[in-house]
């Protein structure tokens, strides 16, 4: 089986951990003797302090059995449609470079629909008969942040897909109702060679919950902290460790301090 993974966002020079779960999935498939490639187009602001001679253009790498074709280009301020056109042209260019070396994939796996990548996968299916599946991660659908035109476009992408997935059961049900296309629950992968119970019978006198996420409104650590306080606020042997960064950091610190559980 030859699968080409197409993430709408991915690790780049500015944020090397961005979309790390896409990389994890690709490497897990490669371990099962699946031929896996990743295609991505990264766009940077012209103000970014990057050396264009070392950055822009096509970069090819292979790590843990996964071949990644990445094209770095720039975005045009305030001209979203032009930036999208640049990304689409670059994506088609990178695709044919990939096909020329590794052959045509049997399946494209799109992670999160967007105008650029949705158009790309529908074109490949219509023109070259390459089927695609979609795993949706965009929480904006649940938060009602998408204009009607974008919802109509997404409906077309999901309808033409061989299969649609979402990373939680609740999100799967929401997307199924919103787009009238069935979504199946498929969570992000966990590396169980790293995340596993320790081989020890040591008994501890405390228990720690850990939350790792961007500190943004849609991640809702505020609800987590309030729930923890109402359930375990008086139990010193139960701890909550919140890890991340983002615009809500100071608000969350203030909330914890106001509850007296810092």
């Amino acid at each position: 089986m030859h699968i080409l993974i197409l993430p709408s966002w991915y690790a780049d020079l500015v944020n090397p951990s961005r979309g790390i779960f896409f990389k994890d999935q690709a490497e897990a498939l490669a371990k099962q003797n699946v031929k896996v490639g990743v295609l991505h187009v990264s766009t940077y602001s012209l103000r970014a302090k990057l050396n264009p001679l070392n950055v822009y253009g096509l970069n090819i790498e292979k790590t843990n059995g996964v071949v990644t074709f990445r094209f770095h280009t720039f975005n045009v301020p305030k001209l979203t449609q032009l930036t999208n056109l640049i990304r689409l042209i670059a994506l088609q260019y990178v695709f044919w470079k990939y096909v020329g070396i590794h052959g045509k994939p049997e399946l494209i796996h799109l992670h999160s629909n967007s105008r650029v990548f949705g158009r790309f996968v529908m074109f490949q299916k219509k023109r070259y008969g390459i089927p695609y599946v979609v795993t949706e991660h965009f929480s904006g659908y649940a938060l009602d942040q998408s204009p009607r035109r974008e919802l109509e476009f997404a409906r077309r992408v999901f309808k033409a897909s061989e299969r649609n997935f979402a990373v939680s059961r609740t999100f799967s049900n929401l997307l199924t109702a919103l787009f009238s296309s069935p979504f199946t629950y498929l969570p992000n992968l966990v590396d169980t060679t790293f995340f596993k119970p320790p081989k020890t019978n040591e008994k501890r006198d405390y228990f720690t919950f850990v939350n790792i996420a961007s500190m943004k409104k849609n991640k809702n650590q505020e609800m987590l902290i309030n729930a923890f306080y109402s359930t375990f606020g008086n139990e010193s042997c139960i701890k909550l460790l919140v890890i991340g960064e983002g615009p809500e950091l100071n608000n969350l610190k203030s909330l914890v301090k106001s509850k007296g559980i810092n």
Side-chain angles (χ1 to χ4, degrees), residues 119-136:
R119 285 178 178 173
F120 177 82
V121 294
M122 286 195 295
F123 175 78
Q124 302 307 325
K125 180 177 182 178
K126 182 177 180 180
R127 184 71 179 270
Y128 302 106
I130 304 174
Y132 68 90
V133 298
V134 183
T135 298
E136 191 52 68

Side-chain angles (χ1 to χ4, degrees), residues 73-92:
T73 185
F74 57 88
N75 59 39
V76 183
K78 300 181 181 179
L79 294 176
T80 303
Q81 290 186 350
L82 180 56
T83 297
N84 285 344
L85 179 60
I86 292 171
R87 295 185 76 191
L88 188 59
I89 293 172
L91 187 59
Q92 187 63 49

